[in-house]
Amino acid sequence: MTKILMVCLGNICRSPLAEGILKSKLSQEKFIIDSAGTANYHTGNAPDKRSIAVAKKYGIDISTLKGRQFNTLDFDAFDIIYVMDQSNYNNVVSLARNEDDKNKVKFILNATYPNQNHSLPDPYHGGDEGFENIYKLLDEACAKIANQLS
């Protein structure tokens, strides 16, 4: 089993959407996909209603996911850790205990734009259009990730 973790700031917008999209593209028998946030603002909360709505529009249900905070034990539990932006990367890597931990952390958009470390915009303070935009960016990145892992 390959275990993959998606990480954003609050674990209610980008990372649960990334989790749902990648789950829809990979075999649940071969992959475990989860998400977390670097902050604890939304621990135990469902994803943002706009993330739920855009996922539903494309046939993906993320409404039952619950926010949680990233912690050092996630380095042991997951093989690959995808972060959404530079701040997420810095926060996750700051908890790394060694080079093996650091090597697990990747920018999700590097799947689409290799070695460019682009940040996926946080749509939280914007409107529905921002959620549609990140859905499309995540869908493209997750398709490439799924192709690489399958």
Side-chain angles (χ1 to χ4, degrees):
M1 280 270 221
T2 301
K3 298 174 187 162
I4 301 166
L5 183 64
M6 304 293 190
V7 179
C8 70
L9 176 62
N11 192 211
I12 60 165
C13 294
R14 296 171 292 174
S15 58
L17 203 48
E19 175 185 347
I21 292 168
L22 192 58
K23 277 182 178 175
S24 76
K25 297 179 184 308
L26 290 173
S27 163
Q28 301 298 293
E29 289 86 42
K30 295 180 182 176
F31 296 91
I32 292 174
I33 301 147
D34 195 7
S35 61
T38 59
N40 65 356
Y41 312 135
H42 304 289
T43 299
N45 294 350
D48 186 288
K49 63 183 181 186
R50 297 165 293 179
S51 281
I52 292 171
V54 75
K56 186 176 181 179
K57 176 180 172 182
Y58 293 99
I60 298 170
D61 182 8
I62 62 169
S63 63
T64 61
L65 301 181
K66 299 288 181 215
R68 72 174 187 85
Q69 187 173 16
F70 181 87
N71 65 71
T72 304
L73 295 178
D74 287 322
F75 288 113
D76 298 326
F78 293 93
D79 304 302
I80 306 167
I81 300 168
Y82 286 107
V83 295
M84 304 297 134
D85 64 31
Q86 186 68 52
S87 176
N88 305 151
Y89 180 85
N90 294 343
N91 289 330
V92 169
V93 168
S94 75
L95 296 174
R97 301 159 297 190
N98 53 48
E99 285 303 307
D100 287 340
D101 285 357
K102 287 181 186 176
N103 290 334
K104 291 182 178 189
V105 185
K106 304 172 183 325
F107 284 80
I108 194 160
L109 290 183
N110 278 353
T112 313
Y113 307 100
N115 304 314
Q116 294 184 35
N117 297 347
H118 287 304
S119 289
L120 183 71
D122 188 342
Y124 184 74
H125 293 291
D128 295 344
E129 185 179 298
F131 285 83
E132 183 72 31
N133 181 47
I134 66 157
Y135 181 91
K136 289 176 180 171
L137 291 168
L138 286 170
D139 189 50
E140 184 179 2
C142 288
K144 293 193 185 270
I145 291 166
N147 283 340
Q148 291 168 1
L149 295 174
S150 296

